[in-house]
Amino acid sequence: KRFTVGDYLAERLASIGIRHHFVVPGDYNLVLLDKLQAHPDLTEIGCANELNCSLAAEGYARANGVSVCVVTFSVGAISAFNGTGSAYSENLPLILVSGGPNTNDAGQHHILHHTLGHGGEYSYQYEMAQKITCCAVAIARAEEAPRLIDRAIRHALLARKPCYIEIPTNLAGAACVRPGPVSAVIDPVVSDNAALEAAGKCAAEYLSGKLKPVILVGPKLRRSGGAEAELVKLAEAMGCAVAVQPAAKGMFPEDHPQFVGIFWGQVGTGAADAMVAWADALICVGTVFNDYSTVGWTAMPDIPLMVAEMDHVTFPGAHFSRVRMGEFLASLSTQVTKNDSTMIEYGRLKPDPVMIHTASRNDLLTRKEIIRQVQAILGKDTTLFVETGDSWFNGVQMTLPRGAQFEIEMQWGHIGWSIPAAFGYALRHPERRTVVMVGDGSFQVTAQEVSQMVRYKVPITILLINNRGYTIEVEIHDGSYNRIKNWNYALLMEVFNGGDGVAKGLKADTAGELADAIQVAAETRDGPTLVECTIDQDDCSRELITWGHFVAAANARPPREGQA
Ligand code: TPP
C-alpha cells in the first residue's frame, strides 16, 4: 500500500499518544479523514460543530497531554479557532488540522466555496492561525509534509501551546515517506545545567534570608508535565504553607497538611488570603495573575515574587532562562532548610470547617444543598468540571479528596466549554467519573455535544443549575440582556436519544429529587445523565457577588489622562 501525507500525519499522531481524533468532515478534509480512520490506533470522534470539536479536543488535551482537531477550510477552521484560543491561553498542545484548497487553485485565481471569495488568495486562514498558535504550517508540496508536520508538533509539545497544520485537499493522498523516530518530536529540551545550578543556588540563598516563605501554586504547574511531584517534595522540604490559585485547584493535594486553601483574595478558601498577605517571600510556581484570579486586581500580591515558570525562573534581582520547572523545584528541594513558621501561623488562622445544613427531602433545592450533595460524591476517581459562572465559585468551595481532579477554564472563560471539554476528557479517562457543573446560560451555547455523549455512550453526569439567566453577569453589570429563554432541559435528552440512546434527563426541584437523580446518574454507565437543578433566581454565592463588584470596578476604571 502506498504511504501518503495523511498516513504520515496519522502515524505521528498515534506515536505521540493520541488515541482519539475529533473531527467535523468537509470536502477539503475527506481524503485526510479516510487516512486517519485507516490507522489502527486512532478512533474517530465526530462532533456536532467545529466550536464543540475544538473544545472537545481542548478537554482531551487536559486528560491526555495532547490532542487533535480536524476540520474543513474556513467554515470549519474559523469556528475551531475558538477552542484553539482556549488551548493557547490554557497552555494545552492542541493540534489543529485543516483541509485546504487544491494546490492548483491559487495560481489559477479560482474563486472557491467556503472562502472569502477573493480569487486565488487563500493564505488568510494560515495567517490568522499564526496569531493563536505557537507554530503554523501550510503544506504546499507533499515533499515538505514530514518536515512541516514534525516542526509544528514538536513546537506544540515543547511550548504546551496549540499548533496549526494545513493540508490541501489534493495532498492528503499524495505519496510521502514514513516518519522517523518519534523522539525527534517528543523529546523535551532539558535545562541548561549551569543555569539550573545557578538558579537553585540563588533561590536557596534568597530563601535563607526569609522567615515566612509561602508557596503559591498556579495552573501552569500541571501543564509543565511531571512537576507536580517535585512541588510536593519542595513543599515538604521547606515545611511551609502552600496556597493554590483557583485555576490550579487540585494540583497540590488538598488533604496535605501544608495546604492552606485557595488563594483568591476575598473569595478564596481556608486561610490562603491571610497567609499570602503575611508572607515575606512568595514562591510562585506556574501562577497566572489576571483580573479574574486577582479579583479585579485587589488580590495582586504586593511583595516581590519569585517565579518558577515552565522554562525559566525569575526572582528579585535575577533571571535564569532554560531552567525547567520540575528540575528547578527538585534542585531547590535539596538546598532549603525546613521552617514551619508559616504552618504555626496557619494553625492560628485556620477557619473552622463549614458545615452545610442537610436539607430535608421535600425542601426546595438550593445552591448550598447542591454543593453538599456534589461534595458527597467526590471520590478519588471523580473529575469535576466547573463552568464559567457561579459554578466556579461553588466548585472552588468544595474539598477535593486525594485523587479527585478539578477542571476549570479560567483564562479563556468561554461559556459552554465544559460540555464538549468534559466529553473529550471522559473519552480518554473512561475509568474516572466525570461530573460537570454548568449554568443554564452556558449550557445553551454547546448543548448539541450532549448528543455525542449519547452516541459514544459516555457516562457523564451533567448538573445543570438553572437560575434562569446569566447570573455572573448580573453581578458584574445587569441589564435585560442577562435574561435568557428558559428550556425544558430534561426533555432535551429524549431529543438527543433519538430512539436508540439510553441517556437520562431528570429534573430536581427538591433536595430529595436531586439525591435520587444523582443515584440514577451513578447507575447509568452507557450514556450521560443530565439533571436540571432548579434554584431560585437570586440564589447565588456570596463569593460571586463580592468578586463581581471588584471585577466591575476594574472594568470601569476611567481612561487615564491623555488616553482617548
Ligand atoms: N460569550 C462567551 C462565549 N463566553 C463568555 N464568557 C461570555 C459570552 C460572557 N459571559 C460570561 S458568564 C456568562 C456570559 C454570557 C453567563 C453565564 O451564565 P450561566 O451559565 O447561566 O451561569 P450563572 O452565572 O447563572 O451561574
Side-chain angles (χ1 to χ4, degrees), residues 161-172:
K161 297 281 185 195
C163 67
Y164 172 79
I165 301 174
E166 187 174 308
I167 305 183
T169 174
N170 60 333
L171 290 191

Side-chain angles (χ1 to χ4, degrees), residues 377-399:
I377 59 167
L378 296 184
K380 65 177 181 6
D381 302 325
T382 320
T383 300
L384 181 65
F385 275 73
V386 296
E387 179 66 80
T388 304
D390 207 13
S391 296
W392 274 359
F393 299 87
N394 295 331
V396 162
Q397 295 302 315
M398 290 184 207
T399 303

Side-chain angles (χ1 to χ4, degrees), residues 320-361:
F320 300 94
S321 295
R322 225 177 104 195
V323 174
R324 306 295 298 177
M325 183 189 285
E327 291 178 300
F328 170 71
L329 298 177
S331 150
L332 185 56
S333 63
T334 62
Q335 302 181 58
V336 288
T337 41
K338 210 167 187 147
N339 165 7
D340 63 358
S341 64
T342 52
M343 290 314 296
I344 294 170
E345 180 72 355
Y346 176 65
R348 299 185 196 113
L349 290 173
K350 183 165 68 179
D352 293 329
V354 192
M355 294 303 250
I356 302 180
H357 163 77
T358 308
S360 306
R361 277 190 63 86

Side-chain angles (χ1 to χ4, degrees), residues 43-385:
T43 301
E44 179 184 87
I45 304 294
C47 294
N49 62 50
E50 287 83 354
L51 167 65
N52 292 357
C53 189
S54 60
L55 292 171
E58 199 262 26
Y60 190 85
R62 289 170 184 261
N64 188 56
V66 58
S67 66
V68 64
C69 165
V70 191
V71 296
T72 194
F73 198 65
S74 291
V75 288
I78 292 176
S79 287
F81 281 171
N82 209 319
T84 309
S86 181
Y88 196 102
S89 66
E90 302 283 331
N91 299 290
L92 296 161
L94 178 159
I95 301 167
L96 174 63
V97 180
S98 174
N102 180 297
T103 48
N104 298 299
D105 284 315
Q108 292 172 332
H109 305 290
H110 283 159
I111 296 182
L112 294 175
H113 70 286
H114 295 346
T115 72
L116 297 175
H118 310 299
E121 207 289 282
Y122 302 123
S123 60
Y124 62 91
Q125 180 174 304
Y126 159 72
E127 285 162 22
M128 290 160 86
Q130 286 178 318
K131 296 280 185 194
I132 56 165
T133 60
C134 70
C135 180
V137 299
I139 298 169
R141 293 181 304 120
E143 306 81 77
E144 288 186 324
R147 181 173 63 82
L148 295 179
I149 290 173
D150 282 5
R151 190 214 287 171
I153 293 178
R154 176 171 157 73
H155 272 75
L157 293 175
L158 262 184
R160 319 307 295 170
K161 297 281 185 195
C163 67
Y164 172 79
I165 301 174
E166 187 174 308
I167 305 183
T169 174
N170 60 333
L171 290 191
C176 184
V177 297
R178 294 191 84 102
V182 70
S183 51
V185 292
I186 58 174
D187 266 8
V189 173
V190 291
S191 299
D192 173 66
N193 265 333
L196 176 62
E197 203 177 304
K201 194 160 160 269
C202 188
E205 266 164 29
Y206 174 74
L207 290 174
S208 69
K210 304 294 176 189
L211 301 173
K212 307 176 286 181
V214 168
I215 296 175
L216 179 60
V217 180
K220 285 184 277 180
L221 170 69
R222 178 163 297 161
R223 307 293 184 245
S224 301
E228 280 167 272
E230 309 300 345
L231 174 74
V232 174
K233 257 190 243 159
L234 174 64
E236 289 175 354
M238 292 183 66
C240 69
V242 181
V244 175
Q245 290 194 304
K249 186 174 168 73
M251 295 188 192
F252 184 80
E254 295 200 343
D255 65 349
H256 193 287
Q258 285 166 255
F259 172 70
V260 301
I262 301 295
F263 173 67
W264 201 3
Q266 292 194 29
V267 302
T269 69
D273 193 30
M275 294 305 302
V276 169
W278 185 69
D280 64 354
L282 205 53
I283 307 170
C284 297
V285 185
T287 43
V288 174
F289 297 106
N290 68 14
D291 49 348
Y292 278 10
S293 71
T294 63
V295 194
W297 308 114
T298 59
M300 188 64 210
D302 60 2
I303 56 169
L305 306 178
M306 177 175 145
V307 184
E309 286 288 349
M310 222 132 39
D311 60 0
H312 65 264
V313 293
T314 295
F315 28 84
H319 174 92
F320 300 94
S321 295
R322 225 177 104 195
V323 174
R324 306 295 298 177
M325 183 189 285
E327 291 178 300
F328 170 71
L329 298 177
S331 150
L332 185 56
S333 63
T334 62
Q335 302 181 58
V336 288
T337 41
K338 210 167 187 147
N339 165 7
D340 63 358
S341 64
T342 52
M343 290 314 296
I344 294 170
E345 180 72 355
Y346 176 65
R348 299 185 196 113
L349 290 173
K350 183 165 68 179
D352 293 329
V354 192
M355 294 303 250
I356 302 180
H357 163 77
T358 308
S360 306
R361 277 190 63 86
N362 292 332
D363 287 351
L364 286 180
L365 195 54
T366 60
R367 192 187 58 80
K368 282 199 174 149
E369 176 61 14
I370 298 172
I371 296 189
R372 195 191 65 77
Q373 291 198 27
V374 175
Q375 176 71 67
I377 59 167
L378 296 184
K380 65 177 181 6
D381 302 325
T382 320
T383 300
L384 181 65
F385 275 73

Side-chain angles (χ1 to χ4, degrees), residues 445-460:
V445 180
T446 51
Q448 307 98 318
E449 225 48 28
V450 176
S451 74
Q452 310 301 346
M453 298 176 190
V454 178
R455 173 182 177 193
Y456 294 101
K457 302 190 186 316
V458 186
I460 295 174

